[in-house]
Amino acid sequence: MSTEPSIRVLIVEDEDDIRNLIVDQFRESGIGAEGLSNGKEVLIKMETFKPDVVLLDQMMPGKSGNEIIRDIRGNSRYADTPIMMVTGLNSEEEKIAALELGADDYVTKPFSMREVIVRAQALVRRAKQAHKSQQKSMTVGELTVDLSAHKVVLRGVEVQLTLTEFKILVELLKQSGQVLTRDRLRERALGNLNVTDRTIDVHMASLRKKLDTMGDSIETVRGVGYRMAL
């Protein structure tokens, strides 16, 4: 049974060998990848493929990489899609021009495929985190968190959390699946770097209890912190 790829990458590269290599390497890493030989149909392809990140060459027939950046950034649907330039042009002027137009990263040829894959994944992670930080509400299963009203509703019933518990829950949801260290909790949720580990553990125990069975999704990672496993 096939599994859904973790992310989708669109590669725009006019050299067939390079494009096919990049596409194959992403796919072998479990990442969905499609290629285009020029930039004329980028927006059409983005409509159907819905990539999480776009990799662009600079020197291509028809449209240059910089022109494609303008097209993407000028379209309200895709303006926030991360863009990585993968090009043989390595002058500082070329790099600055692309970044000023809206590229998020710039890799020069020859390149390490592993590095390109890791950097593409990092761009997607940052984009998703930025999206989460702009959200007015977060919904996970039967739990809804209203970020502006500081309100938490579980199965249609409001859960009364303290401000600290609310901040902890929001950080856990934003970092869902990843370990949230106690130092991060001190900084982002409690706002006090002098808070002891014991105090954090007490807040976490209270939050788990108030979230009923949903609280079981908050895992303790010994010696590190906590993780929301959803």
Side-chain angles (χ1 to χ4, degrees):
M1 183 175 66
S2 63
T3 58
E4 183 71 16
S6 56
I7 64 174
R8 287 184 290 272
V9 182
L10 178 61
I11 297 97
V12 189
E13 164 66 62
D14 65 313
E15 293 189 40
D16 294 343
D17 290 346
I18 296 177
R19 183 179 67 255
N20 293 335
L21 169 66
I22 297 175
V23 169
D24 289 345
Q25 290 293 311
F26 270 107
R27 288 177 177 174
E28 289 179 11
S29 298
I31 296 171
E34 296 288 343
L36 285 177
S37 61
N38 61 71
K40 294 179 180 179
E41 298 181 355
V42 167
L43 294 181
I44 296 174
K45 188 67 174 179
M46 292 181 74
E47 180 70 27
T48 57
F49 183 54
K50 303 186 185 308
D52 297 292
V53 59
V54 177
L55 271 60
L56 290 178
D57 188 18
Q58 178 62 283
M59 302 299 290
M60 292 184 291
K63 281 191 174 184
S64 69
N66 284 350
E67 289 175 315
I68 299 171
I69 293 174
R70 290 191 187 96
D71 289 344
I72 295 173
R73 293 293 177 246
N75 187 297
S76 59
R77 287 189 181 186
Y78 314 118
D80 295 329
T81 303
I83 298 173
M84 179 192 296
M85 298 297 293
V86 183
T87 174
L89 301 179
N90 58 9
S91 73
E92 183 178 5
E93 292 77 12
E94 292 283 355
K95 182 176 182 178
I96 291 173
L99 294 173
E100 287 182 340
L101 283 172
D104 299 283
D105 200 355
Y106 197 101
V107 178
T108 57
K109 302 174 184 176
F111 53 82
S112 156
M113 253 329 296
R114 183 57 188 158
E115 180 184 356
V116 168
I117 291 172
V118 169
R119 290 171 77 153
Q121 291 172 321
L123 287 178
V124 175
R125 282 197 303 271
R126 288 199 293 269
K128 288 181 177 179
Q129 289 303 319
H131 177 70
K132 285 183 180 180
S133 68
Q134 294 169 0
Q135 289 178 308
K136 293 184 178 179
S137 66
M138 304 170 70
T139 300
V140 179
E142 299 175 301
L143 181 72
T144 299
V145 179
D146 187 325
L147 299 176
S148 56
H150 281 231
K151 183 178 179 181
V152 176
V153 176
L154 179 62
R155 304 185 192 99
V157 179
E158 183 174 357
V159 180
Q160 299 296 329
L161 299 182
T162 66
L163 179 58
T164 297
E165 291 166 352
F166 180 85
K167 289 181 177 179
I168 290 174
L169 176 59
V170 170
E171 287 301 314
L172 285 168
L173 291 174
K174 285 182 177 180
Q175 302 293 325
S176 181
Q178 301 180 48
V179 177
L180 184 61
T181 66
R182 287 183 171 85
D183 285 342
R184 176 70 179 266
L185 283 168
R186 288 184 181 91
E187 178 186 353
R188 300 294 295 275
L190 294 102
N192 187 345
L193 298 180
N194 295 318
V195 171
T196 65
D197 287 356
R198 175 59 182 163
T199 299
I200 294 175
D201 294 341
V202 169
H203 285 304
M204 198 65 69
S206 176
L207 176 61
R208 281 172 167 153
K209 184 176 181 180
K210 291 180 180 180
L211 293 180
D212 196 32
T213 56
M214 191 83 176
D216 295 336
S217 299
I218 303 175
E219 298 178 345
T220 300
V221 181
R222 291 189 178 277
V224 183
Y226 297 89
R227 173 175 53 220
M228 179 67 84
L230 296 173

